[in-house]
Amino acid sequence: HGFNEVYNILSQTKPEWIAVNYIFEAEKLRDMSYENKILVVGPVDISELSKANSLKLDIFISSIDQLRAAQSFPELNLHLKIDTGMSRQGFLLNDLSDVSSFIKQFKPQNIVGICSHFSNVEDVHLHCHVIFAPKIIYRRHDKINKQVIEIDKLIEKDFYGK
C-alpha cells in the first residue's frame, strides 16, 4: 500500500525514528538504506529476535517469555508493552509484579521504555478518554500503578545509571 512511496517522501526529512508493525517491514527499510532507529510496534515472535537484533531494531515486548528470550540479545532495545484493556498485545496488568521481579533479578540493560494503548483508542468520538484514561486506570489500580512506577524507576536506574 505505497510503502516505497511513503518511505521516499519520509527519507527526504531524514527522520530519526520510523515505526513499523512487522519485522519484514523493518527489514525492507534497512534494504532501502534507512540507518536510523526503527521501532517494531506489532507482535514479534521469539524466533524473530535474532533477526531483530541483526537489524538493530527497537521492539515491543509483551510477555515474560519474550523478555527472557530477549536477554540473549543485549543490543536489542526493548519497550515493555502493557495491555490496559485493548487485548491486542502486552503484559496483562496482573503480570506486572512478575515483570518487576524479572527486572530486579536479571537487571536487563536493554529495556528502554514502557508503553500502552488507551483501552478505547478506536473510539474516535470520545476524545476526553485520552486525557482521563491514565488517571482512571491508576485510580482503579493503585497497586498496578505502583508496579509500573517501580518498573520505570528500575529502567531509569539501569538505563541512565541513576
Side-chain angles (χ1 to χ4, degrees):
H1 291 40
F3 188 94
N4 294 344
E5 293 80 4
V6 170
Y7 176 71
N8 289 332
I9 292 168
L10 282 177
S11 67
Q12 296 171 23
T13 67
K14 299 183 183 358
E16 291 181 39
W17 285 85
I18 294 180
V20 297
N21 202 58
Y22 300 108
I23 297 275
F24 80 86
E25 294 168 324
E27 187 171 28
K28 192 169 182 179
L29 285 173
R30 292 291 188 233
D31 290 344
M32 296 171 82
S33 300
Y34 181 73
E35 296 178 1
N36 290 340
K37 297 254 187 196
I38 300 174
L39 174 61
V40 178
V41 299
V44 175
D45 190 75
I46 291 172
S47 66
E48 297 176 298
L49 293 176
S50 179
K51 180 175 270 194
N53 186 61
S54 67
L55 292 170
K56 298 183 181 346
L57 305 178
D58 282 46
I59 63 170
F60 281 180
I61 292 289
S62 58
S63 76
I64 289 289
D65 290 338
Q66 279 182 311
L67 190 54
R68 277 193 193 101
Q71 294 315 294
S72 298
F73 305 98
E75 301 297 316
L76 185 61
N77 287 329
L78 311 175
H79 301 256
L80 302 179
K81 174 77 183 273
I82 299 171
D83 182 352
T84 56
M86 292 256 331
S87 301
R88 288 188 179 169
Q89 72 186 68
F91 290 100
L92 298 176
L93 298 176
N94 294 336
D95 294 337
L96 293 182
S97 63
D98 293 338
V99 173
S100 180
S101 296
F102 182 90
I103 292 170
K104 283 179 190 175
Q105 181 178 358
F106 294 100
K107 300 186 183 343
Q109 298 293 314
N110 55 343
I111 300 175
V112 298
I114 300 174
C115 60
S116 180
H117 276 101
F118 292 117
S119 60
N120 79 334
V121 73
E122 293 177 352
D123 185 348
V124 296
H125 300 290
L126 188 58
H127 301 291
C128 67
H129 189 76
V130 172
I131 297 166
F132 298 116
K135 293 177 186 173
I136 292 167
I137 290 166
Y138 293 149
R139 276 192 208 123
R140 287 185 188 160
H141 305 286
D142 190 49
K143 181 179 177 186
I144 291 164
N145 183 35
K146 288 177 184 169
Q147 290 170 340
V148 170
I149 290 169
E150 180 179 322
I151 291 169
D152 190 47
K153 286 180 181 176
L154 289 168
I155 293 169
E156 183 177 297
K157 181 179 179 187
D158 288 338
F159 189 68
Y160 296 107
K162 295 180 181 177

